Amino acid sequence: HVENGMDVRPHISVVTNFTRPTASKPALLTYNEVTTFLHEFGHALHGMLSRVTYGAMAGTSVYRDFVELPSQIMENWARQKEWLQDIATHYQTDEPIPGDMVDKIIAAGNFQSGYATVRQLSFGMNDMAWHTINEPVNKEVAQFEKEAMEPTELFPDVEGSCMSTAFGHIFDGGYAAGYYGYKWAEVLDADAFELFRQNGIFNRETANSFRKNILERGGTKDPMELYVAFRGQEPSIEPLLERSGLKE
Ligand SMILES: [Zn+2]
């Protein structure tokens, strides 16, 4: 932010507890550790590149359902052979990671992705149902949630089960009426990354536009305005369906 006419930059650190080096091997990060690093580095960039007048509007000070876009979009690079084969080289032979291994990592990540998708949606719908009641609910909790989650039901109901009473996230975890944000962030990051896929994953112009229109702006404008400024259109669910292996 600007203070006494000076551009004040934040100090941001990414602190992790990744695999340590041993006596005989250097620190060899797992695939998950690499994607975690990319994710957190995206949050860090959101803060570092912020260019707003007031600190309270800077970086990650955005609506909760928008805050994971800058971080999650970074994870997409870890699924690109072009990028992986450049940085993921064997520590002894210097061989780049084999392409078919990358294919297997992606396929394994999409295992049961249809079920995972509707399950996540059902949580969001149950959350929203509880937080939009405007008169007393005169039915059993289990019945209430069964109706809320009905549209996504894939397997027969297990008698006596009830998840609402154990759903800490939506009652004391800060995700009240916002649980959908997890899936929504995926819609956004897949759709935003689609522009990189079209223009090239190392395309500087696209990266600069992402920086200018999203990373620099923090919470100074409505997220959808920022998004459209970068993407040229509102997000579509198609890129996420494709990335999840649910659509060709
Ligand atoms: Zn995050």
Side-chain angles (χ1 to χ4, degrees):
H1 67 286
V2 179
E3 211 172 275
N4 300 326
M6 281 206 350
D7 182 16
V8 180
R9 296 279 109 199
H11 285 176
I12 291 171
S13 53
V14 175
V15 181
T16 65
N17 52 356
F18 288 162
T19 306
R20 290 161 182 260
T22 65
S24 56
K25 281 181 182 168
L28 299 173
L29 302 191
T30 65
Y31 182 77
N32 276 343
E33 286 172 341
V34 172
T35 49
T36 299
F37 172 75
L38 287 170
H39 179 106
E40 304 308 337
F41 188 59
H43 284 309
L45 284 178
H46 205 180
M48 284 189 275
L49 300 176
S50 192
R51 199 163 282 281
V52 300
T53 308
Y54 303 106
M57 294 270 105
T60 53
S61 307
V62 297
Y63 290 154
R64 178 159 299 214
D65 64 3
F66 191 59
V67 74
E68 295 299 333
L69 169 62
S71 51
Q72 285 182 194
I73 193 173
M74 298 292 288
E75 297 178 36
N76 287 280
W77 271 269
R79 300 167 135 247
Q80 309 302 311
K81 286 179 195 166
E82 219 184 329
W83 182 77
L84 268 183
Q85 293 187 329
D86 195 32
I87 66 123
T89 52
H90 194 279
Y91 81 106
Q92 283 167 323
T93 65
D94 238 8
E95 288 273 337
I97 187 168
D100 62 335
M101 190 182 280
V102 179
D103 291 335
K104 283 180 191 167
I105 291 171
I106 292 171
N110 282 341
F111 177 62
Q112 289 195 338
S113 91
Y115 173 62
T117 299
V118 287
R119 185 167 179 271
Q120 194 73 356
L121 288 178
S122 74
F123 292 169
M125 290 164 96
N126 188 31
D127 164 45
M128 202 52 93
W130 281 117
H131 291 290
T132 48
I133 52 175
N134 43 31
E135 51 194 51
V137 173
N138 290 316
K139 59 183 104 172
E140 293 292 327
V141 169
Q143 184 58 29
F144 181 90
E145 77 171 30
K146 188 172 153 50
E147 287 167 22
M149 293 157 80
E150 194 111 66
T152 57
E153 196 182 272
L154 200 60
F155 298 122
D157 193 39
V158 176
E159 186 93 35
S161 64
C162 178
M163 63 94 59
S164 293
T165 49
F167 203 178
H169 258 78
I170 67 166
F171 292 112
D172 67 3
Y175 274 85
Y179 195 86
Y180 74 93
Y182 284 106
K183 204 74 210 164
W184 178 237
E186 287 182 49
V187 170
L188 290 180
D189 88 75
D191 184 78
F193 189 69
E194 190 61 22
L195 197 59
F196 281 98
R197 276 186 30 169
Q198 286 165 15
N199 300 344
I201 64 166
F202 301 118
N203 185 272
R204 186 170 284 265
E205 233 172 89
T206 312
N208 277 337
S209 163
F210 190 74
R211 172 181 177 160
K212 269 207 161 55
N213 291 305
I214 292 180
L215 297 176
E216 288 186 358
R217 300 274 82 87
T220 56
K221 270 192 184 170
D222 184 83
M224 190 58 87
E225 265 183 69
L226 300 180
Y227 190 83
V228 171
F230 163 68
R231 188 65 170 92
Q233 62 194 47
E234 292 195 357
S236 129
I237 63 169
E238 300 301 315
L240 176 60
L241 293 179
E242 207 185 295
R243 188 180 71 188
S244 312
L246 298 174
K247 211 171 174 182
E248 295 275 293

